[in-house]
Amino acid sequence: MLKSFGYVLQHVRLDYGRLTWLAALSGLSNAIVLAIINVAAANAAEETRSHRFLILFLISITLYVVTQKKIMVIVADEIERVIHAIRVRLVQRVRSAEFEHLDDIGQAEIYTSITSETSVLSDASLRVVVAFQSAILVVFLMIYMALLSMTAFLLNLLFTAVGAAIHLVRSKAVNRELHAALAEENRMHDGMQDLLGGFKEVKLSSARGDELVAWIEARSSKAAESKTNTQRLHINDYVLSQVTFFLLTGTMVFLVPMLSDAYSDVVIKATATSLFLIGPVSNVVTTLPFLARARAAVESIEALEDQLENARRPEPSNHRSVPTPDEITLDRVMFRYGNGGEGFTVGPFELRFKRGETVFITGGNGSGKTTMIRLLLGLYRPHGGRVLADGLAIDDAHAVSYRNLFSAVFSDNHLFKILYGVESVDPREAADLFRMLEMDQKASLVDRTFDTVRLSGGQRKRLALIASILERKPYIVLDEWAADQDPHFRETFYTQIIPWMAARGMTIIAITHDDKYHDLADRRIELREGKIHRDIRLRADDAPSAAQEESAS
């Protein structure tokens, strides 16, 4: 059960010596309060001594308040720093993961770990501190009990040991139910992503909507059932702990006199001590559900970290830059889907992309166009062959710099409202782009932020193209960009925008199905069944492109 706390503690930077002294003073001061009450009650008739005990009583309470508050503030601040560090580490590992493996992990599990499960650790931290303080207090009270009566101490020890043993027996069942609940919640989040991401499709089919909602409800019901089972186990533990102390108090009154010569003085003090124990022991018991949830959260986070670690390339000893190449070569590059040599193979490709040319990639659905582009961009690691930049083999040390040569608008492109990574934007350049893409009446760029992204799919693609151009990368990849555009703007894209980009030295690699405009490219590469069917040069190397002709005119 302490695994969750240990996971956090291994990242904590605290002065444990100082905290130990503070915790000891806090527990001792609390125990002294009880001792003073017992002694003062026994000497209540002596007014002078009562005043003295009152002063000691107030001093002990003050010491407890100061030390307890100090401990909780120190630990709370540090725990939140650690939770923040865990979140950041998870985000960094997500960023470092290989694109091809990230889908295998699942977005729901990643979201849950970074948000919900780190919050569980945060919520449990202060409760653990209170429980730890309560445990220290129990130790001091037990010592005080032993000084009062060894018989009473042994009986308290016996009852405490029985309660702890019962909890340990139940802990495995609790952990199993919590893991089942987390698994069902992850599946429920997958369903919610389907509901929200495919909301239009859901609205168009009541049967689809009914079944999807029923599936989400079933996952939620199973998660609730597992959590209810854990709550019942913890409720039973809590009630049992209360009954145990009631029985213990009765034992102090009825059994201790039979086993000990002393009666009135010892029994009254031992009974008071037993009653005083109920509070701190209850704190420990009520913290156990939070510890159980924290443990399940930690195991889930650690499992995600392991998956993300396995999904990333080994970090190179040093990153090396790749100068902007005049030619990028796919040297017998291939990629295989599936395991054990089975599945669809794309490639091998023997291709050269020269700087400044416009290349159209065509082919039917499933012909390998998107996979080839991902290999070219460095998003997929080739299963065979090499990617070369002016003859330089792109390995792990060059991968980051190589990918930074490209901007892209994918067919399933995500539009960032803020132009992350673009240090500054020339307002005049941005205004020209908005006018050229006929978006000046629809949206605008304020500093580096689009004032709206609530637009049609085609209009969002236009904003994405504006963002890609403003990155000022030498190579731009467009994955079926024109598919969402109306016929008028589709023609504008091929006859005006692509030549405009080419005239500014951009290398354009576009996946397209628009046969009508294929002859506007310098080259056309056609794929079939994962192989190059044709690589057609439509314009001689020394012939001016349409863009160059337009620029010259």
Side-chain angles (χ1 to χ4, degrees), residues 3 175 179 294-304:
K3 179 179 179 181
N175 196 45
H179 276 292
R295 178 180 179 180
V298 162
E299 290 174 351
S300 179
I301 291 172
E302 287 185 316
L304 175 61

Side-chain angles (χ1 to χ4, degrees), residues 36 41 63 84 99 123 140 145 150 159 202 236 239 246 272 298 313 372 446 448 467 501 515-516 525:
I36 291 172
L63 181 61
H84 166 68
F99 175 77
D123 294 340
F140 280 107
M145 182 77 78
M150 185 56 65
F159 276 83
V202 169
N236 290 338
V239 172
F246 292 150
V298 162
R313 296 185 185 183
M372 190 194 79
V446 181
R448 298 183 305 136
M501 290 191 293
D515 299 348
K516 179 180 178 181
I525 301 169

Side-chain angles (χ1 to χ4, degrees), residues 289-331:
F290 293 92
L291 272 178
R293 286 196 288 273
R295 178 180 179 180
V298 162
E299 290 174 351
S300 179
I301 291 172
E302 287 185 316
L304 175 61
E305 285 196 280
D306 289 341
Q307 287 179 290
L308 291 174
E309 183 66 24
N310 293 332
R312 71 173 183 171
R313 296 185 185 183
E315 191 68 21
S317 57
N318 62 317
H319 291 281
R320 298 176 183 175
S321 62
V322 178
T324 302
D326 291 324
E327 185 176 84
I328 294 176
T329 304
L330 301 185
D331 180 20

Side-chain angles (χ1 to χ4, degrees), residues 424-440:
S424 62
V425 174
D426 182 345
R428 289 179 298 180
E429 180 186 7
D432 289 342
L433 287 171
F434 273 86
R435 281 193 295 271
M436 183 172 64
L437 275 85
E438 301 179 11
M439 291 297 295
D440 50 315

Side-chain angles (χ1 to χ4, degrees), residues 464-538:
L465 181 56
I466 290 172
S468 293
I469 293 172
L470 289 174
E471 287 186 280
R472 299 181 180 87
K473 301 289 186 70
Y475 292 84
I476 185 168
V477 171
L478 304 173
D479 186 358
E480 304 209 29
W481 187 91
D484 297 325
Q485 307 302 323
D486 58 66
H488 155 71
F489 198 79
R490 188 174 302 176
E491 181 173 357
T492 300
F493 169 68
Y494 285 108
T495 60
Q496 297 180 34
I497 296 174
I498 284 184
W500 180 90
M501 290 191 293
R504 279 150 184 78
M506 299 179 71
T507 303
I508 304 158
I509 303 167
I511 295 177
T512 175
H513 287 295
D514 296 318
D515 299 348
K516 179 180 178 181
Y517 304 104
H518 284 177
D519 59 348
L520 297 179
D522 299 320
R523 285 169 61 205
R524 181 165 70 90
I525 301 169
E526 183 181 353
L527 301 186
R528 288 187 184 177
E529 297 181 356
K531 302 289 189 296
I532 300 172
H533 177 64
R534 287 187 295 181
D535 184 356
I536 308 167
R537 179 160 296 280
L538 303 172

